[in-house]
Amino acid sequence: MNKTNTKIQIKNLHKAFNGKAVLSGINLSVAKGESLVIIGPSGTGKSVLIKNILGLIKPDQGKIYIDSIETTHLSESERQPFYTQMGMLFQGGALFDSLSVWENISFGLMESQKMPEDVAREEAISLLKAVGLSSKIADHSPADLSGGMQKRVSLARAVATKPKIMFFDEPTTGLDPIMAETINHLIIDNVKKLGATAVTITHDIHSASMIADRIAMLYDGKIVWEGTKAEFEKTKDPYILQMKNRSSKGPIGN
Ligand SMILES: Nc1ncnc2c1ncn2[C@@H]1O[C@H](COP(=O)(O)OP(=O)(O)OP(=O)(O)O)[C@@H](O)[C@H]1O
Ligand SMILES: [Mg+2]
């Protein structure tokens, strides 16, 4: 991969919790404007991997470059410019129940971009409409919303600041198939419209094929397969086949 074209590069990343290795030597690159999807069984460290890139978890070993700058040793203040170019949809939604829906969406706009409140509210309402929600819920608490609505609010929040790098952790899990399809399209539209670099985690193979330019599979602390969407569709790799076939037989143990 051409160095100037690389947005995120991970080299030999290790992370253990209480002596139990979760990531044991991850090497992965994401090109500028590329949409990478990470798949893999539950509990293999997909969310931990994203949190390392975001700087929310400190790796035990290894390097993470964003725009060719090594980030694992940066202080909070040095990390600030990286945070402001990232948007994240957390697996659990992670909306603030103490804030209204519109305040959740506009949080980054008001905090880091210092957008005035009235402008930020207007922006939040237009983002609500963009994810197919009514402006009537703007002043509600996220706790009042269904799971699918919360995911959409989380998506609106993740893209509000027009980040250059977007992370989506299980954006369609727990949604009905029609809502999941809507979310897939919203992700594709937002990523392409903003020319952003995206890293998405999903269990949903259909969603992976829709969103991805490239797919990587995480298992047992390592990337066990990596390829383009076209390669993903054709591969006879036993890990990928087992995920696609939802089979209990194969290299992935229970
Ligand atoms: N802060 C933490 N402290 C201790 N252990 C952790 C912490 N965060 C994650 N783990 C452990 O790391 C492992 C990987 O967790 P992670 O959430 O990354 O899995 P995942 O691949 O995202 O799974 P899922 O598909 O279910 O979301 C799990 O065993 C989890 O318990
Ligand atoms: Mg996870």
Side-chain angles (χ1 to χ4, degrees):
M1 195 181 293
N2 178 344
K3 204 158 173 54
T4 54
N5 197 31
T6 305
K7 189 72 183 171
I8 305 169
Q9 185 169 27
I10 302 169
K11 282 191 181 167
N12 194 31
L13 190 72
H14 288 253
K15 182 70 193 175
F17 293 107
N18 311 316
K20 186 180 161 279
V22 174
L23 304 177
S24 359
I26 301 290
N27 294 293
L28 200 60
S29 288
V30 194
K32 248 174 224 159
E34 182 177 53
S35 172
L36 175 77
V37 170
I38 301 172
I39 60 170
S42 261
T44 44
K46 303 182 299 297
S47 295
V48 167
L49 175 58
I50 280 198
K51 285 176 186 165
N52 272 279
I53 306 173
L54 277 163
L56 302 175
I57 292 180
K58 210 170 163 50
D60 299 332
Q61 195 189 321
K63 307 239 178 283
I64 299 170
Y65 299 86
I66 296 173
D67 291 327
S68 301
I69 296 166
E70 210 288 302
T71 58
T72 59
H73 295 100
L74 297 182
S75 67
E76 266 311 289
S77 62
E78 289 169 330
R79 191 174 276 285
Q80 229 14 258
F82 293 94
Y83 277 137
T84 52
Q85 63 163 318
M86 295 183 192
M88 168 82 191
L89 185 159
F90 286 94
Q91 189 163 6
L95 295 166
F96 303 114
D97 279 341
S98 57
L99 300 179
S100 66
V101 164
W102 84 262
E103 288 167 330
N104 264 282
I105 294 173
S106 295
F107 190 80
L109 293 172
M110 292 192 288
E111 284 296 307
S112 49
Q113 298 189 2
K114 307 290 174 219
M115 189 181 269
E117 192 172 316
D118 53 338
V119 185
R121 191 187 148 91
E122 282 310 306
E123 185 63 23
I125 286 172
S126 92
L127 283 159
L128 269 179
K129 289 182 187 149
V131 295
L133 292 171
S134 159
S135 58
K136 288 186 190 137
I137 66 160
D139 295 303
H140 283 237
S141 162
D144 299 343
L145 307 179
S146 74
M149 290 163 97
Q150 288 181 10
K151 282 265 182 188
R152 288 202 269 181
V153 171
S154 302
L155 180 63
R157 182 178 64 176
V159 302
T161 57
K162 301 186 169 55
K164 295 203 170 67
I165 307 176
M166 299 182 188
F167 298 95
F168 305 105
D169 194 350
E170 306 279 2
T172 59
T173 304
L175 302 182
D176 69 68
I178 297 165
M179 183 56 66
E181 202 67 357
T182 307
I183 295 276
N184 287 335
H185 283 294
L186 286 169
I187 287 177
I188 296 164
D189 290 350
N190 272 286
V191 171
K192 294 294 169 219
K193 188 174 68 198
L194 298 173
T197 304
V199 180
T200 307
I201 295 173
T202 185
H203 283 118
D204 179 346
I205 298 296
H206 166 72
S207 177
S209 303
M210 268 186 78
I211 295 172
D213 297 319
R214 217 151 49 80
I215 296 175
M217 171 150 172
L218 183 63
Y219 180 66
D220 206 17
K222 294 245 167 53
I223 301 294
V224 294
W225 188 89
E226 198 182 335
T228 62
K229 175 157 69 176
E231 287 163 346
F232 180 76
E233 261 131 44
K234 284 189 299 215
T235 182
K236 298 279 186 278
D237 179 87
Y239 289 101
I240 303 298
L241 286 184
Q242 193 178 352
M243 288 292 284
K244 282 185 185 169
N245 298 334
R246 303 160 174 244
S247 170
S248 58
K249 295 192 183 67
I252 306 167
N254 292 307

